[in-house]
Amino acid sequence: MYRYDIIEKIGEGNKGEVYKAKLENGKIVAIKWAKNYDIDKEWEILKFLNGKIAPKPLFRGSRYFAMEYIDAKPLKEFLNTPTYYLIIKQSLYNAYLLDKLGVNHSQLGRYYHILFNKEVRFIDFERASFKNPRNFLQIIGYYLFRDEKFDINKLKAITNLYKTNKKQALKNIIRLIDESVN
């Protein structure tokens, strides 16, 4: 059993609460407490990802688990800044990797599930699954289709290409972002 002290609440949703905590050894972690859901699935997905793209899981109890604390800001705080499109490009790459790994996050259209501090990390995998990964398409649909800087027909062509050639679609979307925002 690990001993920890709660520092502060850092997030809350319908299904859980997240706290910043300090372990006995001084390490800062995030603790996620389940309000009304079984944490097993989220724990298994985080273990599978093992710190790639998402927080690394550390230990768990029956209704909570501890994971790496990500000291970063949500995507929403970067709206209308030069960093925003850099984050979108990194998010698309991470989404492509998640798709290749077979994990569907399902909520990447929420600004606060994408964090940035030198690199992009995704959080909150409570609704994630190992079925029908569509992370890449989710990010294009939520962030770029709504952005007037992008030609809808070009975006549609890239989403169609993604179904048959994911790597080329990733290259094409990065090129399109670079051309559209510079």
Side-chain angles (χ1 to χ4, degrees):
M1 190 60 148
Y2 290 87
R3 188 177 149 351
Y4 58 88
D5 294 312
I6 299 295
I7 297 170
E8 65 182 320
K9 183 188 262 188
I10 55 176
E12 181 173 3
N14 293 332
K15 295 187 174 198
E17 298 175 343
V18 182
Y19 297 88
K20 184 177 178 182
K22 186 175 185 178
L23 300 180
E24 283 180 298
N25 66 6
K27 182 175 178 144
I28 302 298
V29 299
I31 305 277
K32 183 162 188 180
W33 280 91
K35 287 183 190 175
N36 59 9
Y37 81 106
D38 181 359
I39 64 169
D40 292 342
K41 182 177 66 166
E42 185 171 11
W43 174 256
E44 290 304 317
I45 288 172
L46 289 175
K47 273 181 48 181
F48 174 76
L49 294 173
N50 195 29
K52 294 178 190 134
I53 305 163
K56 184 176 179 111
L58 303 171
F59 60 88
R60 67 171 285 182
S62 61
R63 295 204 36 174
Y64 73 93
F65 60 83
M67 62 190 144
E68 168 190 17
Y69 173 73
I70 307 294
D71 187 15
K73 294 179 182 176
L75 175 60
K76 188 167 191 134
E77 292 191 29
F78 294 94
L79 289 172
N80 303 314
T81 72
T83 308
Y84 176 77
Y85 291 105
L86 169 71
I87 297 169
I88 292 296
K89 289 192 295 187
Q90 286 185 19
S91 295
L92 284 160
Y93 179 74
N94 284 3
Y96 162 80
L97 293 177
L98 265 187
D99 286 351
K100 280 183 65 172
L101 291 168
V103 174
N104 185 36
H105 186 287
S106 82
Q107 294 187 305
L108 292 174
R110 297 185 176 180
Y111 290 103
Y112 48 87
H113 289 169
I114 299 173
L115 299 180
F116 179 75
N117 181 1
K118 298 179 186 168
E119 66 177 346
V120 169
R121 303 292 288 283
F122 297 150
I123 60 166
D124 201 355
F125 283 77
E126 69 190 31
R127 290 187 173 98
S129 69
F130 288 106
K131 298 177 191 165
N132 303 323
R134 300 175 46 83
N135 304 291
F136 182 87
L137 298 174
Q138 213 181 125
I139 290 177
I140 290 176
Y142 192 82
Y143 300 103
L144 300 183
F145 268 98
R146 299 171 184 208
D147 190 327
E148 62 189 34
K149 291 182 176 154
F150 296 93
D151 180 308
I152 299 294
N153 292 321
K154 289 180 180 179
L155 291 173
K156 285 181 182 177
I158 291 169
T159 59
N160 286 332
L161 176 62
Y162 193 72
K163 296 169 188 169
T164 58
N165 189 337
K166 290 176 176 26
K167 194 172 197 174
Q168 188 58 51
L170 175 63
K171 289 178 185 176
N172 289 3
I173 195 67
I174 299 301
R175 187 177 325 110
L176 180 62
I177 291 171
D178 287 342
E179 292 169 357
S180 299
V181 298
N182 289 334

PDB file of all heavy atoms in Angstrom, residues 19-43:
ATOM      1  N   TYR A  19      -6.882  14.240  -8.446  1.00  0.00           N
ATOM      2  CA  TYR A  19      -6.162  15.030  -7.461  1.00  0.00           C
ATOM      3  C   TYR A  19      -4.663  14.981  -7.734  1.00  0.00           C
ATOM      4  O   TYR A  19      -4.132  13.960  -8.182  1.00  0.00           O
ATOM      5  CB  TYR A  19      -6.403  14.476  -6.048  1.00  0.00           C
ATOM      6  CG  TYR A  19      -7.834  14.562  -5.619  1.00  0.00           C
ATOM      7  CD1 TYR A  19      -8.725  13.543  -5.913  1.00  0.00           C
ATOM      8  CD2 TYR A  19      -8.294  15.673  -4.924  1.00  0.00           C
ATOM      9  CE1 TYR A  19     -10.056  13.624  -5.523  1.00  0.00           C
ATOM     10  CE2 TYR A  19      -9.621  15.769  -4.527  1.00  0.00           C
ATOM     11  CZ  TYR A  19     -10.500  14.741  -4.836  1.00  0.00           C
ATOM     12  OH  TYR A  19     -11.807  14.831  -4.460  1.00  0.00           O
ATOM     13  N   LYS A  20      -4.002  16.070  -7.435  1.00  0.00           N
ATOM     14  CA  LYS A  20      -2.547  16.105  -7.415  1.00  0.00           C
ATOM     15  C   LYS A  20      -2.157  15.649  -6.017  1.00  0.00           C
ATOM     16  O   LYS A  20      -2.725  16.117  -5.024  1.00  0.00           O
ATOM     17  CB  LYS A  20      -2.069  17.536  -7.682  1.00  0.00           C
ATOM     18  CG  LYS A  20      -0.582  17.700  -7.772  1.00  0.00           C
ATOM     19  CD  LYS A  20      -0.277  19.163  -8.122  1.00  0.00           C
ATOM     20  CE  LYS A  20       1.191  19.442  -8.198  1.00  0.00           C
ATOM     21  NZ  LYS A  20       1.432  20.880  -8.495  1.00  0.00           N
ATOM     22  N   ALA A  21      -1.223  14.709  -5.933  1.00  0.00           N
ATOM     23  CA  ALA A  21      -0.841  14.153  -4.637  1.00  0.00           C
ATOM     24  C   ALA A  21       0.671  13.987  -4.563  1.00  0.00           C
ATOM     25  O   ALA A  21       1.365  13.955  -5.580  1.00  0.00           O
ATOM     26  CB  ALA A  21      -1.527  12.807  -4.428  1.00  0.00           C
ATOM     27  N   LYS A  22       1.154  13.869  -3.341  1.00  0.00           N
ATOM     28  CA  LYS A  22       2.582  13.682  -3.097  1.00  0.00           C
ATOM     29  C   LYS A  22       2.773  12.350  -2.379  1.00  0.00           C
ATOM     30  O   LYS A  22       2.170  12.106  -1.335  1.00  0.00           O
ATOM     31  CB  LYS A  22       3.122  14.824  -2.236  1.00  0.00           C
ATOM     32  CG  LYS A  22       4.601  14.825  -2.039  1.00  0.00           C
ATOM     33  CD  LYS A  22       5.010  16.080  -1.271  1.00  0.00           C
ATOM     34  CE  LYS A  22       6.502  16.190  -1.164  1.00  0.00           C
ATOM     35  NZ  LYS A  22       6.886  17.433  -0.466  1.00  0.00           N
ATOM     36  N   LEU A  23       3.617  11.495  -2.969  1.00  0.00           N
ATOM     37  CA  LEU A  23       3.923  10.206  -2.354  1.00  0.00           C
ATOM     38  C   LEU A  23       4.930  10.396  -1.225  1.00  0.00           C
ATOM     39  O   LEU A  23       5.585  11.441  -1.123  1.00  0.00           O
ATOM     40  CB  LEU A  23       4.503   9.242  -3.394  1.00  0.00           C
ATOM     41  CG  LEU A  23       3.620   8.898  -4.597  1.00  0.00           C
ATOM     42  CD1 LEU A  23       4.350   7.949  -5.524  1.00  0.00           C
ATOM     43  CD2 LEU A  23       2.289   8.329  -4.158  1.00  0.00           C
ATOM     44  N   GLU A  24       5.085   9.374  -0.407  1.00  0.00           N
ATOM     45  CA  GLU A  24       6.048   9.426   0.704  1.00  0.00           C
ATOM     46  C   GLU A  24       7.452   9.785   0.242  1.00  0.00           C
ATOM     47  O   GLU A  24       8.190  10.471   0.930  1.00  0.00           O
ATOM     48  CB  GLU A  24       6.104   8.071   1.417  1.00  0.00           C
ATOM     49  CG  GLU A  24       4.954   7.812   2.337  1.00  0.00           C
ATOM     50  CD  GLU A  24       5.090   6.457   2.996  1.00  0.00           C
ATOM     51  OE1 GLU A  24       5.093   5.449   2.277  1.00  0.00           O
ATOM     52  OE2 GLU A  24       5.194   6.429   4.230  1.00  0.00           O
ATOM     53  N   ASN A  25       7.824   9.305  -0.951  1.00  0.00           N
ATOM     54  CA  ASN A  25       9.169   9.569  -1.460  1.00  0.00           C
ATOM     55  C   ASN A  25       9.312  10.963  -2.090  1.00  0.00           C
ATOM     56  O   ASN A  25      10.352  11.299  -2.633  1.00  0.00           O
ATOM     57  CB  ASN A  25       9.586   8.485  -2.456  1.00  0.00           C
ATOM     58  CG  ASN A  25       8.745   8.491  -3.725  1.00  0.00           C
ATOM     59  OD1 ASN A  25       7.909   9.368  -3.939  1.00  0.00           O
ATOM     60  ND2 ASN A  25       8.962   7.502  -4.576  1.00  0.00           N
ATOM     61  N   GLY A  26       8.228  11.763  -2.046  1.00  0.00           N
ATOM     62  CA  GLY A  26       8.277  13.121  -2.579  1.00  0.00           C
ATOM     63  C   GLY A  26       7.793  13.258  -4.010  1.00  0.00           C
ATOM     64  O   GLY A  26       7.627  14.369  -4.505  1.00  0.00           O
ATOM     65  N   LYS A  27       7.582  12.146  -4.679  1.00  0.00           N
ATOM     66  CA  LYS A  27       7.138  12.183  -6.080  1.00  0.00           C
ATOM     67  C   LYS A  27       5.714  12.724  -6.163  1.00  0.00           C
ATOM     68  O   LYS A  27       4.841  12.339  -5.394  1.00  0.00           O
ATOM     69  CB  LYS A  27       7.205  10.782  -6.686  1.00  0.00           C
ATOM     70  CG  LYS A  27       6.807  10.742  -8.141  1.00  0.00           C
ATOM     71  CD  LYS A  27       6.992   9.369  -8.727  1.00  0.00           C
ATOM     72  CE  LYS A  27       6.528   9.395 -10.162  1.00  0.00           C
ATOM     73  NZ  LYS A  27       7.313   8.576 -11.026  1.00  0.00           N
ATOM     74  N   ILE A  28       5.480  13.605  -7.138  1.00  0.00           N
ATOM     75  CA  ILE A  28       4.152  14.159  -7.384  1.00  0.00           C
ATOM     76  C   ILE A  28       3.449  13.264  -8.411  1.00  0.00           C
ATOM     77  O   ILE A  28       4.019  12.928  -9.451  1.00  0.00           O
ATOM     78  CB  ILE A  28       4.240  15.610  -7.910  1.00  0.00           C
ATOM     79  CG1 ILE A  28       4.991  16.499  -6.922  1.00  0.00           C
ATOM     80  CG2 ILE A  28       2.849  16.161  -8.223  1.00  0.00           C
ATOM     81  CD1 ILE A  28       4.338  16.634  -5.563  1.00  0.00           C
ATOM     82  N   VAL A  29       2.218  12.883  -8.112  1.00  0.00           N
ATOM     83  CA  VAL A  29       1.431  12.008  -8.978  1.00  0.00           C
ATOM     84  C   VAL A  29       0.020  12.575  -9.118  1.00  0.00           C
ATOM     85  O   VAL A  29      -0.362  13.505  -8.410  1.00  0.00           O
ATOM     86  CB  VAL A  29       1.358  10.566  -8.418  1.00  0.00           C
ATOM     87  CG1 VAL A  29       2.740   9.944  -8.308  1.00  0.00           C
ATOM     88  CG2 VAL A  29       0.624  10.517  -7.089  1.00  0.00           C
ATOM     89  N   ALA A  30      -0.745  11.995 -10.013  1.00  0.00           N
ATOM     90  CA  ALA A  30      -2.169  12.286 -10.125  1.00  0.00           C
ATOM     91  C   ALA A  30      -2.914  11.044  -9.638  1.00  0.00           C
ATOM     92  O   ALA A  30      -2.551   9.920  -9.989  1.00  0.00           O
ATOM     93  CB  ALA A  30      -2.542  12.599 -11.565  1.00  0.00           C
ATOM     94  N   ILE A  31      -3.929  11.266  -8.822  1.00  0.00           N
ATOM     95  CA  ILE A  31      -4.763  10.179  -8.305  1.00  0.00           C
ATOM     96  C   ILE A  31      -6.157  10.360  -8.886  1.00  0.00           C
ATOM     97  O   ILE A  31      -6.751  11.437  -8.759  1.00  0.00           O
ATOM     98  CB  ILE A  31      -4.875  10.218  -6.757  1.00  0.00           C
ATOM     99  CG1 ILE A  31      -3.509  10.218  -6.096  1.00  0.00           C
ATOM    100  CG2 ILE A  31      -5.796   9.118  -6.248  1.00  0.00           C
ATOM    101  CD1 ILE A  31      -2.861   8.882  -5.925  1.00  0.00           C
ATOM    102  N   LYS A  32      -6.665   9.337  -9.539  1.00  0.00           N
ATOM    103  CA  LYS A  32      -8.021   9.399 -10.086  1.00  0.00           C
ATOM    104  C   LYS A  32      -8.929   8.511  -9.252  1.00  0.00           C
ATOM    105  O   LYS A  32      -8.704   7.307  -9.142  1.00  0.00           O
ATOM    106  CB  LYS A  32      -8.047   8.965 -11.548  1.00  0.00           C
ATOM    107  CG  LYS A  32      -9.441   9.106 -12.148  1.00  0.00           C
ATOM    108  CD  LYS A  32      -9.417   9.112 -13.639  1.00  0.00           C
ATOM    109  CE  LYS A  32     -10.783   9.437 -14.194  1.00  0.00           C
ATOM    110  NZ  LYS A  32     -10.760   9.455 -15.649  1.00  0.00           N
ATOM    111  N   TRP A  33      -9.967   9.121  -8.677  1.00  0.00           N
ATOM    112  CA  TRP A  33     -10.966   8.413  -7.881  1.00  0.00           C
ATOM    113  C   TRP A  33     -12.210   8.228  -8.719  1.00  0.00           C
ATOM    114  O   TRP A  33     -12.719   9.176  -9.307  1.00  0.00           O
ATOM    115  CB  TRP A  33     -11.337   9.223  -6.636  1.00  0.00           C
ATOM    116  CG  TRP A  33     -10.343   9.098  -5.545  1.00  0.00           C
ATOM    117  CD1 TRP A  33      -9.261   9.892  -5.320  1.00  0.00           C
ATOM    118  CD2 TRP A  33     -10.314   8.103  -4.532  1.00  0.00           C
ATOM    119  NE1 TRP A  33      -8.572   9.454  -4.231  1.00  0.00           N
ATOM    120  CE2 TRP A  33      -9.202   8.356  -3.720  1.00  0.00           C
ATOM    121  CE3 TRP A  33     -11.138   7.017  -4.227  1.00  0.00           C
ATOM    122  CZ2 TRP A  33      -8.873   7.564  -2.629  1.00  0.00           C
ATOM    123  CZ3 TRP A  33     -10.821   6.233  -3.135  1.00  0.00           C
ATOM    124  CH2 TRP A  33      -9.698   6.513  -2.350  1.00  0.00           C
ATOM    125  N   ALA A  34     -12.710   7.011  -8.764  1.00  0.00           N
ATOM    126  CA  ALA A  34     -13.941   6.714  -9.499  1.00  0.00           C
ATOM    127  C   ALA A  34     -15.149   7.046  -8.640  1.00  0.00           C
ATOM    128  O   ALA A  34     -15.236   6.595  -7.502  1.00  0.00           O
ATOM    129  CB  ALA A  34     -13.964   5.246  -9.890  1.00  0.00           C
ATOM    130  N   LYS A  35     -16.044   7.848  -9.179  1.00  0.00           N
ATOM    131  CA  LYS A  35     -17.298   8.134  -8.482  1.00  0.00           C
ATOM    132  C   LYS A  35     -18.278   6.980  -8.706  1.00  0.00           C
ATOM    133  O   LYS A  35     -18.859   6.463  -7.778  1.00  0.00           O
ATOM    134  CB  LYS A  35     -17.945   9.406  -9.029  1.00  0.00           C
ATOM    135  CG  LYS A  35     -17.288  10.682  -8.656  1.00  0.00           C
ATOM    136  CD  LYS A  35     -18.131  11.815  -9.249  1.00  0.00           C
ATOM    137  CE  LYS A  35     -17.463  13.140  -9.169  1.00  0.00           C
ATOM    138  NZ  LYS A  35     -18.236  14.186  -9.852  1.00  0.00           N
ATOM    139  N   ASN A  36     -18.459   6.656  -9.966  1.00  0.00           N
ATOM    140  CA  ASN A  36     -19.511   5.697 -10.305  1.00  0.00           C
ATOM    141  C   ASN A  36     -19.173   4.849 -11.533  1.00  0.00           C
ATOM    142  O   ASN A  36     -20.024   4.591 -12.352  1.00  0.00           O
ATOM    143  CB  ASN A  36     -20.828   6.436 -10.535  1.00  0.00           C
ATOM    144  CG  ASN A  36     -20.720   7.466 -11.643  1.00  0.00           C
ATOM    145  OD1 ASN A  36     -19.728   7.526 -12.359  1.00  0.00           O
ATOM    146  ND2 ASN A  36     -21.737   8.275 -11.801  1.00  0.00           N
ATOM    147  N   TYR A  37     -17.930   4.468 -11.666  1.00  0.00           N
ATOM    148  CA  TYR A  37     -17.581   3.595 -12.781  1.00  0.00           C
ATOM    149  C   TYR A  37     -16.470   2.652 -12.355  1.00  0.00           C
ATOM    150  O   TYR A  37     -15.754   2.892 -11.395  1.00  0.00           O
ATOM    151  CB  TYR A  37     -17.198   4.403 -14.032  1.00  0.00           C
ATOM    152  CG  TYR A  37     -15.784   4.927 -14.070  1.00  0.00           C
ATOM    153  CD1 TYR A  37     -14.831   4.341 -14.899  1.00  0.00           C
ATOM    154  CD2 TYR A  37     -15.383   6.003 -13.287  1.00  0.00           C
ATOM    155  CE1 TYR A  37     -13.538   4.819 -14.943  1.00  0.00           C
ATOM    156  CE2 TYR A  37     -14.088   6.489 -13.331  1.00  0.00           C
ATOM    157  CZ  TYR A  37     -13.172   5.895 -14.163  1.00  0.00           C
ATOM    158  OH  TYR A  37     -11.890   6.360 -14.210  1.00  0.00           O
ATOM    159  N   ASP A  38     -16.337   1.578 -13.095  1.00  0.00           N
ATOM    160  CA  ASP A  38     -15.312   0.577 -12.841  1.00  0.00           C
ATOM    161  C   ASP A  38     -14.021   1.041 -13.512  1.00  0.00           C
ATOM    162  O   ASP A  38     -13.978   1.224 -14.723  1.00  0.00           O
ATOM    163  CB  ASP A  38     -15.778  -0.760 -13.420  1.00  0.00           C
ATOM    164  CG  ASP A  38     -14.794  -1.880 -13.203  1.00  0.00           C
ATOM    165  OD1 ASP A  38     -13.724  -1.642 -12.624  1.00  0.00           O
ATOM    166  OD2 ASP A  38     -15.110  -3.007 -13.618  1.00  0.00           O
ATOM    167  N   ILE A  39     -12.985   1.238 -12.735  1.00  0.00           N
ATOM    168  CA  ILE A  39     -11.736   1.797 -13.274  1.00  0.00           C
ATOM    169  C   ILE A  39     -10.890   0.766 -14.033  1.00  0.00           C
ATOM    170  O   ILE A  39      -9.883   1.124 -14.622  1.00  0.00           O
ATOM    171  CB  ILE A  39     -10.877   2.450 -12.178  1.00  0.00           C
ATOM    172  CG1 ILE A  39     -10.398   1.422 -11.152  1.00  0.00           C
ATOM    173  CG2 ILE A  39     -11.601   3.600 -11.541  1.00  0.00           C
ATOM    174  CD1 ILE A  39      -9.339   1.940 -10.210  1.00  0.00           C
ATOM    175  N   ASP A  40     -11.300  -0.491 -14.022  1.00  0.00           N
ATOM    176  CA  ASP A  40     -10.475  -1.542 -14.631  1.00  0.00           C
ATOM    177  C   ASP A  40     -10.113  -1.253 -16.079  1.00  0.00           C
ATOM    178  O   ASP A  40      -8.965  -1.398 -16.480  1.00  0.00           O
ATOM    179  CB  ASP A  40     -11.176  -2.903 -14.548  1.00  0.00           C
ATOM    180  CG  ASP A  40     -11.281  -3.416 -13.126  1.00  0.00           C
ATOM    181  OD1 ASP A  40     -10.539  -2.923 -12.254  1.00  0.00           O
ATOM    182  OD2 ASP A  40     -12.117  -4.302 -12.881  1.00  0.00           O
ATOM    183  N   LYS A  41     -11.102  -0.850 -16.892  1.00  0.00           N
ATOM    184  CA  LYS A  41     -10.852  -0.623 -18.317  1.00  0.00           C
ATOM    185  C   LYS A  41      -9.849   0.512 -18.524  1.00  0.00           C
ATOM    186  O   LYS A  41      -8.892   0.376 -19.291  1.00  0.00           O
ATOM    187  CB  LYS A  41     -12.158  -0.330 -19.045  1.00  0.00           C
ATOM    188  CG  LYS A  41     -11.982  -0.129 -20.537  1.00  0.00           C
ATOM    189  CD  LYS A  41     -13.298   0.086 -21.250  1.00  0.00           C
ATOM    190  CE  LYS A  41     -13.910   1.369 -20.802  1.00  0.00           C
ATOM    191  NZ  LYS A  41     -15.004   1.865 -21.607  1.00  0.00           N
ATOM    192  N   GLU A  42     -10.050   1.613 -17.828  1.00  0.00           N
ATOM    193  CA  GLU A  42      -9.128   2.741 -17.980  1.00  0.00           C
ATOM    194  C   GLU A  42      -7.725   2.353 -17.519  1.00  0.00           C
ATOM    195  O   GLU A  42      -6.728   2.678 -18.167  1.00  0.00           O
ATOM    196  CB  GLU A  42      -9.629   3.958 -17.197  1.00  0.00           C
ATOM    197  CG  GLU A  42      -8.764   5.185 -17.420  1.00  0.00           C
ATOM    198  CD  GLU A  42      -9.351   6.450 -16.830  1.00  0.00           C
ATOM    199  OE1 GLU A  42     -10.325   6.394 -16.063  1.00  0.00           O
ATOM    200  OE2 GLU A  42      -8.806   7.530 -17.147  1.00  0.00           O
ATOM    201  N   TRP A  43      -7.639   1.643 -16.404  1.00  0.00           N
ATOM    202  CA  TRP A  43      -6.354   1.173 -15.891  1.00  0.00           C
ATOM    203  C   TRP A  43      -5.660   0.288 -16.917  1.00  0.00           C
ATOM    204  O   TRP A  43      -4.460   0.451 -17.186  1.00  0.00           O
ATOM    205  CB  TRP A  43      -6.560   0.430 -14.574  1.00  0.00           C
ATOM    206  CG  TRP A  43      -5.321  -0.211 -14.035  1.00  0.00           C
ATOM    207  CD1 TRP A  43      -5.008  -1.541 -14.074  1.00  0.00           C
ATOM    208  CD2 TRP A  43      -4.210   0.427 -13.404  1.00  0.00           C
ATOM    209  NE1 TRP A  43      -3.777  -1.755 -13.499  1.00  0.00           N
ATOM    210  CE2 TRP A  43      -3.274  -0.562 -13.075  1.00  0.00           C
ATOM    211  CE3 TRP A  43      -3.932   1.750 -13.081  1.00  0.00           C
ATOM    212  CZ2 TRP A  43      -2.071  -0.279 -12.439  1.00  0.00           C
ATOM    213  CZ3 TRP A  43      -2.731   2.026 -12.449  1.00  0.00           C
ATOM    214  CH2 TRP A  43      -1.815   1.026 -12.134  1.00  0.00           C
TER     215      TRP A  43
END
